[in-house]
Amino acid sequence: MTTTVLAPVRDAREGRDQLEIMTALVSSPSFDPVFRSEIVEIPPDHPVYRWVCLVTDCERPRTGRGDLCGAHETAWRQLRAERSRADFLRTADPVGHGEELRERPCRLCSGRPARQLTLELCHHHQFSWYHHRDRYGAAADFDTWLATQLPRPG
């Protein structure tokens, strides 16, 4: 015996009502204006989504879960036995944009950004190379592998 259950038919009005509610919420004064535009750009010093290094005037983004860029994180690890964190933040010199911040395309897929800048490969090709290298070990040749790869759409 087969039982057939009919899915409820959505009323067009229900969709319009949901859209009106979303519009009202986004237009409310408590909604962060940063998220109202079609293209969302989070400023470096946003009070909640701050992404820039804590050192004053440093132009580099934070790394990992920390609040310092890679250069300042390394310097802080070397100096933390000698100084307080507040003193380090107050006296550290800012660092400008580094080479790693310029987005480069994958050497195979012109429409995809390189995830790993040393190899200049996108996410897909980086892991494809790692898999190939793990499979063939010392016999894995990067240039030979590269010649067999096809570009992926961006």
Side-chain angles (χ1 to χ4, degrees):
M1 179 170 147
T2 304
T3 306
T4 304
V5 179
L6 296 176
V9 177
R10 272 185 78 162
D11 182 11
R13 179 175 168 94
E14 184 180 334
R16 284 194 314 268
D17 289 347
Q18 289 176 346
L19 184 59
E20 287 176 16
I21 290 169
M22 280 300 293
T23 303
L25 290 171
V26 170
S27 300
S28 72
S30 62
F31 191 85
D32 194 334
V34 166
F35 299 110
R36 288 190 183 133
S37 65
E38 282 189 38
I39 298 175
V40 175
E41 290 185 38
I42 307 293
D45 57 346
H46 190 275
V48 176
Y49 303 108
R50 178 185 176 99
W51 55 267
V52 75
C53 179
L54 269 183
V55 173
T56 306
D57 296 329
C58 182
E59 298 175 1
R60 291 188 179 187
R62 299 179 186 192
T63 56
R65 291 189 214 137
D67 50 10
L68 298 173
C69 67
H72 287 118
E73 183 66 38
T74 302
W76 168 239
R77 281 190 198 130
Q78 293 171 350
L79 297 172
R80 68 176 155 196
E82 306 163 14
R83 307 165 74 177
S84 70
R85 185 169 169 90
D87 185 43
F88 172 77
L89 291 174
R90 191 173 35 259
T91 60
D93 293 325
V95 180
H97 286 294
E99 178 67 25
E100 69 277 2
L101 295 180
R102 294 191 189 106
E103 188 174 283
R104 287 190 247 163
C106 173
R107 65 171 68 199
L108 295 162
C109 315
S110 60
R112 302 181 85 159
R115 176 183 171 141
Q116 211 271 359
L117 297 182
T118 305
L119 297 174
E120 292 182 350
L121 296 174
C122 65
H123 177 79
H124 169 78
H125 286 112
Q126 175 187 356
F127 284 99
S128 177
W129 162 244
Y130 288 164
H131 177 71
H132 179 81
R133 187 185 61 191
D134 291 344
R135 187 173 186 190
Y136 294 102
D141 179 57
F142 183 73
D143 293 325
T144 305
W145 170 84
L146 196 61
T148 65
Q149 298 303 302
L150 299 172
R152 294 183 55 118

